[in-house]
Amino acid sequence: MVVITNDIGNNIKDLCSRGKNATEIGNELGINSSTINSYIERNNIHTDPSNIGRPEALSHRDKLFIKRCVDCRNPTTVSEIHKELQKEHNFSGCRQTVKNFLDSEGVSLGED
């Protein structure tokens, strides 16, 4: 078990304030990321919320592509947009992801 000294604790706080996540901090300090996470939780250290959770399924580029498809009304169904996204952008997400994005934008397209 690694003992977190005051110096290491200060380094962890500093790296957290600069947006580093537990894995990055652990790699930099040579300490297991679960130890870093435990220290962060025990000491109520605030981390950058943009570094938490899973990445978005659709990139900004994917979203723009979908919007352009809708504006041009070609393709006209969710499945067609999904297939075009796979072909043009190597998109690996499911059709429902595209539908959810369209729903969030207030766009209703025909189903297959």
Side-chain angles (χ1 to χ4, degrees), residues 58 78-79 82 91 93-103 111:
L58 290 168
V78 175
S79 289
H82 179 247
F91 179 68
C94 66
R95 185 189 76 72
Q96 188 63 44
T97 299
V98 175
K99 182 173 181 342
N100 291 345
F101 173 70
L102 290 167
D103 290 345
E111 294 296 322

Side-chain angles (χ1 to χ4, degrees), residues 45-62:
I45 298 171
H46 299 286
T47 56
D48 181 2
S50 66
N51 246 351
I52 297 173
R54 61 192 261 195
E56 288 193 25
L58 290 168
S59 70
H60 179 69
R61 183 174 154 232
D62 295 336

Side-chain angles (χ1 to χ4, degrees), residues 8-53:
I8 294 173
N10 288 335
N11 283 340
I12 293 170
K13 289 175 189 172
D14 180 54
L15 293 168
C16 280
S17 71
R18 290 195 264 149
K20 301 270 186 177
N21 64 34
T23 302
E24 294 167 328
I25 294 169
N27 289 340
E28 190 166 323
L29 299 178
I31 301 171
N32 188 294
S33 63
S34 61
T35 303
I36 300 294
N37 271 326
S38 295
Y39 181 83
I40 290 170
E41 288 174 19
R42 271 194 323 271
N43 292 281
N44 295 318
I45 298 171
H46 299 286
T47 56
D48 181 2
S50 66
N51 246 351
I52 297 173

Side-chain angles (χ1 to χ4, degrees), residues 68-80:
R68 280 195 304 271
C69 287
V70 169
D71 289 343
C72 296
R73 284 287 178 206
N74 186 22
T76 57
T77 67
V78 175
S79 289
E80 288 174 347

